[in-house]
Amino acid sequence: MEAQYFAQINENNKVITVHVVTAEFMAANPDRYTGTWVETFYDTVGKTYAGIGFTYDEATQDFVAPPSPEVESEV
């Protein structure tokens, strides 16, 4: 069986963890995989692989990276 990738999101749709696990294993172990889990893809064109702190966008069914911190230049 091929590996799948799932991101656990909190109530604000922020990714709090990412696991490599099959959907079947998650379904067979609901006590171990509580909360909301969304599949993420690392090799699919047009999809963003989830990372901790990313936000899940339900409309596009994709993950959005957090904004990069602005770097102050030293002058």
Side-chain angles (χ1 to χ4, degrees), residues 5-10 13-21 26 32-40 49-54 63:
Y5 304 86
F6 288 88
Q8 183 180 28
I9 57 175
N10 67 15
N13 287 351
K14 296 282 185 196
V15 176
I16 54 177
T17 190
V18 179
H19 287 205
V20 179
V21 63
M26 289 177 68
R32 190 171 179 180
Y33 293 95
T34 60
T36 304
W37 292 83
V38 180
E39 190 168 10
T40 185
Y49 183 74
I52 294 173
F54 282 46
F63 294 89

Side-chain angles (χ1 to χ4, degrees), residues 48-62:
T48 304
Y49 183 74
I52 294 173
F54 282 46
T55 302
Y56 179 66
D57 183 335
E58 293 178 11
T60 62
Q61 296 183 340
D62 201 10

